[in-house]
Amino acid sequence: MKKIIVANWKMNHGFNNIDEWLNDLFKDYADKYAEMKNSELVLCPPAIFLDYVDSELMEDGFNFLEKLAQKDGRDLGEFSTEEINEIVVNQRPIKLGAQDCHFAEKGSFTGDISAEMIRDLGCKYVIIGHSERRDAHGESNELLAKKLTAAVRASLTPIFCIGESKETRDAGQHLEFIEKQIMESLSTELEMDNLVIAYEPIWSIGTGTTPTVEQVSEMVEFIKKIIKEKFSNNIKDSAVLYGGSVTSANSGAILKVSNGLLVGKASLDAAEFIKIAHS
Ligand code: PGA
């Protein structure tokens, strides 16, 4: 099963250090792309930098193409446009994602960005329902259902975030809570090729406290069971990631029981993110 490692920069980084961050990543990964058939890195910078990061990723994709061509002894001119697109955009294992989108395609929504706009900028993924948006922007399960529909309409893969509070966990109601979040936001009518769910307990985000590997495993299996039982008719493929205080010290163990990681703070440091991705 493919592993997906997401860097969620939140509202951090700027033009003063994006290049350095990306160059560190590109340098480290340049010779590994061909082996990365079963893993993907997803970069989610603030929306204002999506276009810039996309142009850098495209350039990196062309470097990858050149390396492939050299290896196979082929001239770049021999590649068809479709082949170039397939290698530079699809086979390139570093993808772009947005941190949020609006549910409408367009309209009078000052300050918002539609899923279509995000897709046109080169994104493959969009994070939906991060607890910071649920909390600070009052995003309800019902609103998130509309955003999930918007993401699918724009051919984006949603990274749908769910997770319980400390009180809910302490009360032993975490499984019911997670099931409710899923059932109120996912529709059995919505056809999806791919869905990524990120289990992010709120009490773990930015706190340095993580659940045990057994607790992560229990939740990952529980989420997979719900998706299989309730949505197997309309969701073709799904992956369950873990997010919350991931570092290179705990990433290896968590990756053994999940399909990937959603990394916040630790993704701001390129060297640390690279270590996490290697695990
Ligand atoms: P954190 O954030 O890794 O800083 O805990 C994770 C997230 O909010 O996605």
Side-chain angles (χ1 to χ4, degrees):
M1 170 49 110
K2 200 180 209 173
K3 299 279 182 193
I4 304 169
I5 315 288
V6 186
N8 176 14
W9 289 355
K10 307 188 181 183
M11 201 170 74
N12 293 295
H13 281 332
F15 279 121
N16 57 334
N17 60 354
I18 286 186
D19 281 335
E20 200 185 325
W21 195 102
L22 290 174
N23 287 336
D24 284 351
L25 186 73
F26 294 157
K27 245 192 281 154
D28 187 84
Y29 270 92
D31 296 321
K32 304 186 179 82
Y33 282 4
E35 304 146 32
M36 288 178 66
K37 296 225 162 31
N38 285 322
S39 50
E40 232 175 44
L41 306 184
V42 183
L43 309 186
C44 300
I48 195 151
F49 300 124
L50 283 171
D51 194 28
Y52 181 71
V53 175
D54 180 57
S55 64
E56 294 295 299
L57 288 177
M58 288 299 282
E59 203 178 309
D60 184 58
F62 275 105
N63 291 338
F64 172 44
L65 172 72
E66 272 176 18
K67 284 213 173 102
L68 274 185
Q70 261 172 19
K71 195 169 130 263
D72 299 344
R74 288 175 72 186
D75 195 83
L76 276 185
E78 292 171 32
F79 288 82
S80 68
T81 314
E82 290 75 33
E83 225 179 333
I84 292 176
N85 196 47
E86 175 58 26
I87 294 166
V88 172
V89 179
N90 297 333
Q91 285 183 26
R92 185 192 75 208
I94 306 183
K95 303 284 195 304
L96 189 64
Q99 297 176 11
D100 178 44
C101 69
H102 194 270
F103 63 80
E105 199 174 334
K106 59 181 178 182
S108 304
F109 300 104
T110 303
D112 280 309
I113 304 171
S114 73
E116 284 73 9
M117 291 170 182
I118 285 165
R119 177 205 56 213
D120 292 347
L121 274 177
C123 287
K124 179 178 174 201
Y125 291 94
V126 58
I127 297 175
I128 289 182
H130 191 283
S131 63
E132 285 154 13
R133 293 209 58 90
R134 290 177 187 261
D135 182 36
H137 296 264
E139 296 194 352
S140 63
N141 290 338
E142 293 68 26
L143 174 79
L144 298 174
K146 292 202 222 169
K147 291 195 177 198
L148 285 163
T149 305
V152 173
R153 184 186 66 218
S155 309
L156 292 167
T157 298
I159 301 173
F160 178 49
C161 299
I162 52 180
E164 81 285 356
S165 66
K166 177 94 176 66
E167 294 69 41
T168 305
R169 166 70 64 169
D170 288 346
Q173 287 163 353
H174 47 288
L175 297 180
E176 291 95 304
F177 183 84
I178 290 296
E179 182 162 6
K180 188 167 183 289
Q181 281 190 321
I182 295 175
M183 296 313 293
E184 286 184 0
S185 297
L186 281 185
S187 153
T188 50
E189 311 279 290
L190 192 61
E191 300 284 334
M192 285 193 217
D193 286 340
N194 287 301
L195 169 68
V196 178
I197 293 188
Y199 168 57
E200 297 209 304
I202 299 168
W203 48 276
S204 179
I205 296 175
T207 60
T209 307
T210 51
T212 62
V213 174
E214 290 72 30
Q215 286 173 324
V216 174
S217 175
E218 177 196 37
M219 196 55 100
V220 169
E221 292 311 316
F222 180 69
I223 295 166
K224 282 189 177 167
K225 184 167 139 278
I226 297 175
I227 301 298
K228 192 161 167 239
E229 282 176 8
K230 308 266 176 31
F231 301 96
S232 58
N233 286 337
N234 61 310
I235 299 179
K236 283 198 199 129
D237 198 13
S238 64
V240 183
L241 320 185
Y242 168 78
S245 295
V246 171
T247 65
S248 57
N250 57 30
S251 53
I254 301 174
L255 269 175
K256 288 209 173 78
V257 298
S258 66
N259 303 125
L261 305 165
L262 177 46
V263 190
K265 189 157 174 263
S267 76
L268 296 180
D269 176 5
E272 174 68 354
F273 183 68
I274 290 166
K275 267 202 213 164
I276 292 171
H278 283 313
S279 61

